[in-house]
Amino acid sequence: MRLGLETKIMGVINITPDSFSDGGKFLDPARAEVAALRMQDEGAHLIDLGAESSRPGAAGVGWREELARLLPVLKRLAPRLKVPLSVDTYKYEVAHAALDEGASLINDITGLRSNKRLAKRIAQSGASVALMHMQGTPRTMQKAPRYRNVVQDVKAALKHSAILARDAGIPVSRILIDPGFGFGKTAEHNFSLLSGLDEFSSLGYPVLVGLSRKSFLGDLLGLPIGQRLNVSVTAACAAIFGGAHLLRVHDVLAHRQASAVADRLMMRG
Ligand code: HH2
């Protein structure tokens, strides 16, 4: 997967009972498989599997429970999908097993700050890592998020996460960064990050964004989760114009079509 030529699409499948976006839909591995194959057909460049919800207020689950949800789906998908698999986890035990099963990317919402062993394990495996920024933890992050300057503060934190990755031996070419929309951010913070997104490219890593179905977009018009496609796609295009390389989305087809237009305008496609 070559980043930088066209915007890449990461299709999201949450194997959880309680994800804010698709909770309960994909607990059955057969249903998860159908959804993943469909996302691949619709043009997803990779599929991100998550087995613990990180929605605001979520308490989290232990690694055994997370693995028990993840492994049946991962084992089923790994031999059947042509596109690479990513696993959304910050837990060493989960990442360790997922890498053994062929995961190509670990998507860490804590930006390698929660576990020292994780970075080394990723480095040994030859997989890539997505370093996301989060202030606090999912349980507390939306209580009173504060920044001096949200763009500069998040940028500095991501720079630090990238140093952790490189010090552990993960090559530059296998590192992605993500400002973490909705993770310890008010709506104003999220919009400042979106309009200031081009700042992040200067760190020298491809930029991943997760805007799909997020509350700060729906809240503009009081839209429930099922009606946030248009606002998600619009925000995604703004992110592409701001330099994003990869979109983490629940609705692959719509984002693929929109990004084709945005890429053409950016002369990337
Ligand atoms: N957002 C969510 C989860 N993981 N990873 C990255 N890199 N960037 C994001 O913005 C991001 C993420 C939250 O969305 P979702 O997975 O749909 O919900 P939940 O955390 O409730 O499972």
Side-chain angles (χ1 to χ4, degrees):
M1 190 173 65
R2 284 178 69 203
L3 285 163
L5 291 178
E6 64 172 343
T7 303
K8 304 294 183 199
I9 310 285
M10 172 192 261
V12 181
I13 296 197
N14 287 310
I15 317 151
T16 64
D18 56 346
S19 285
F20 88 96
S21 51
D22 58 1
K25 275 177 77 181
F26 304 122
L27 279 168
D28 171 7
R31 290 180 72 178
E33 181 186 343
V34 171
L37 289 171
R38 181 167 160 207
M39 286 179 176
Q40 178 176 267
D41 287 348
E42 290 177 348
H45 299 91
L46 75 165
I47 304 289
D48 188 43
L49 302 176
E52 176 188 87
S53 173
S54 52
R55 73 186 188 288
V61 294
W63 66 264
R64 287 187 181 81
E65 169 72 17
E66 193 178 329
L67 258 187
R69 294 175 184 171
L70 176 72
L71 278 185
V73 176
L74 189 53
K75 281 179 192 287
R76 204 177 169 111
L77 287 181
R80 290 180 173 89
L81 278 185
K82 292 189 205 92
V83 297
L85 279 163
S86 149
V87 172
D88 185 343
T89 191
Y90 53 88
K91 298 190 188 103
Y92 174 83
E93 293 82 357
V94 176
H96 181 71
L99 291 166
D100 280 348
E101 293 298 330
S104 301
L105 185 143
I106 298 297
N107 174 20
D108 181 358
I109 61 166
T110 73
L112 291 178
R113 283 173 301 133
S114 66
N115 192 308
K116 288 211 169 92
R117 289 189 297 162
L118 183 57
K120 282 253 178 267
R121 177 66 181 93
I122 297 170
Q124 285 159 1
S125 72
S128 299
V129 67
L131 305 167
M132 197 196 80
H133 173 269
M134 168 167 59
Q135 188 177 85
T137 65
R139 192 197 275 273
T140 58
M141 65 191 180
Q142 289 310 106
K143 288 207 169 130
R146 273 186 187 209
Y147 298 88
R148 264 183 296 180
N149 174 319
V150 67
V151 172
Q152 293 310 325
D153 292 1
V154 171
K155 188 174 165 186
L158 287 175
K159 191 172 175 185
H160 176 68
S161 286
I163 290 170
L164 295 178
R166 289 171 69 168
D167 285 351
I170 303 175
V172 175
S173 60
R174 295 193 179 277
I175 299 172
L176 297 133
I177 53 171
D178 180 339
F181 288 97
F183 285 84
K185 282 112 188 165
T186 62
E188 199 174 328
H189 293 143
N190 288 315
F191 279 108
S192 297
L193 286 170
L194 187 52
S195 62
L197 198 69
D198 53 353
E199 274 284 318
F200 293 93
S201 305
S202 67
L203 287 174
Y205 306 97
V207 177
L208 163 67
V209 292
L211 293 154
S212 181
R213 301 184 185 171
K214 295 251 160 115
S215 300
F216 79 101
L217 300 173
D219 289 350
L220 284 173
L221 296 167
L223 302 170
I225 285 158
Q227 290 174 29
R228 294 183 187 164
L229 178 59
N230 294 340
V231 288
S232 300
V233 168
T234 309
C237 288
I240 295 171
F241 296 133
H245 298 87
L246 220 141
L247 308 174
R248 183 180 182 277
V249 306
H250 305 87
D251 303 285
V252 169
L253 187 63
H255 284 88
R256 184 88 171 110
Q257 292 175 348
S259 65
V261 180
D263 284 349
R264 182 66 187 80
L265 283 166
M266 300 275 288
M267 292 305 280
R268 278 200 194 152

